[in-house]
Amino acid sequence: MVRINVDVVIDTGCPFCYIALNHLTRAVERYESKHVNNSVAIRWHPMILQPNAPKVPMDLSTYVASIFGPKVRDGKLKREEALGRAEGIKFNRNRKVGSTYDAHRLIHLAGEKSSAMQSSVVRKLFQGHFEDGQAQSSLPFLVDIAVSSGVEKSEAVAWLESNAGGPEVEVKIRKATAKGIFSVPHITVAEKYSLGSRYDEEYLLNTFERLRVE
């Protein structure tokens, strides 16, 4: 039996990370269905691309324009929509944006429990934000994600209302940047193959197959 660990550095406000999740999920499903005695475990790690993002949610359009200007904003959002169409993702232009710090703390909590729970939280964060328009700094949204993924509500509320997991998230970010990781997604397979942002499904699958026979 071969167990492959995949480490993925993400920011939950990054649309490319959502696309990478879909490619990675499909590659894992194909690999595990072909090799039923083998498995792939995904570990999600934090990166915060916009550390000054507002705690109070803002409209996406207003926020992106405040950083890049209206012309650049329009181009970025059009490119995002085009990428989404190719992946079956309908990016919500009316979504709210804010700090992703608490979302990363929730991902850390889920990871302490199981790989499956952590991946569930990550997917629901992406879908809830990018498609349903929820702000990732919203406490009710984060609590709902936690509970629907298997965390007890009382534990989720206590965790999110405190700074639990915050120091660990910050340490992980420092470790990533010390390795030269500043953009996301960044994928490393079996602590051996650093794929960076190369998240193509076929490339991932081929990497898994290579490890199986090594």
Side-chain angles (χ1 to χ4, degrees):
M1 178 176 179
V2 176
R3 176 185 171 93
I4 299 173
N5 290 320
V6 179
D7 293 284
V8 189
V9 181
I10 59 167
D11 190 357
T12 55
C14 166
F16 300 104
C17 294
Y18 188 13
I19 294 171
L21 166 66
N22 287 344
H23 279 252
L24 184 54
T25 299
R26 292 194 299 267
V28 169
E29 288 174 349
R30 290 172 62 190
Y31 177 78
E32 291 183 339
S33 66
K34 183 178 180 181
H35 307 290
V36 294
N37 293 320
N38 296 347
S39 64
V40 179
I42 305 172
R43 301 179 294 203
W44 303 92
H45 304 277
M47 179 63 65
I48 297 179
L49 298 177
Q50 298 292 340
N52 297 319
K55 180 71 174 178
V56 177
M58 293 177 61
D59 290 334
L60 171 70
S61 180
T62 302
Y63 180 64
V64 176
S66 72
I67 299 174
F68 301 105
K71 288 185 178 180
V72 174
R73 172 201 61 197
D74 293 344
K76 285 178 72 68
L77 295 181
K78 286 180 181 178
R79 286 193 296 275
E80 179 184 273
E81 287 180 349
L83 285 169
R85 281 194 299 272
E87 293 292 329
I89 299 171
K90 188 175 182 180
F91 284 111
N92 189 333
R93 270 205 176 197
N94 297 316
R95 66 184 184 264
K96 301 290 186 180
V97 297
S99 170
T100 60
Y101 181 72
D102 289 341
H104 286 300
R105 292 197 300 114
L106 177 58
I107 292 170
H108 177 79
L109 171 63
E112 292 289 294
K113 298 180 180 298
S114 74
S115 173
M117 183 181 288
Q118 191 181 47
S119 289
S120 172
V121 165
V122 169
R123 175 165 292 283
K124 290 174 180 178
L125 283 168
F126 280 139
Q127 185 172 357
H129 174 60
F130 286 111
E131 299 192 63
D132 300 337
Q134 298 287 339
Q136 295 193 24
S137 56
S138 164
L139 178 62
F141 171 60
L142 294 175
V143 170
D144 285 347
I145 294 294
V147 171
S148 66
S149 297
V151 181
E152 290 291 332
K153 184 174 182 179
S154 58
E155 181 182 8
V157 171
W159 182 274
L160 290 165
E161 286 186 341
S162 69
N163 190 44
E168 291 85 349
V169 165
E170 291 163 12
V171 166
K172 288 181 179 180
I173 292 173
R174 288 197 295 271
K175 285 182 177 179
T177 55
K179 293 177 182 178
I181 300 172
F182 296 98
S183 61
V184 292
H186 189 282
I187 301 171
T188 304
V189 179
E191 300 182 355
K192 182 176 183 179
Y193 294 109
S194 179
L195 310 187
S197 294
R198 189 166 183 179
Y199 53 74
D200 176 75
E201 177 184 343
E202 294 298 331
Y203 189 75
L204 288 165
L205 183 60
N206 289 338
T207 303
F208 299 158
E209 292 287 2
R210 189 184 319 152
L211 280 163
R212 188 180 64 84
V213 298
E214 284 181 351

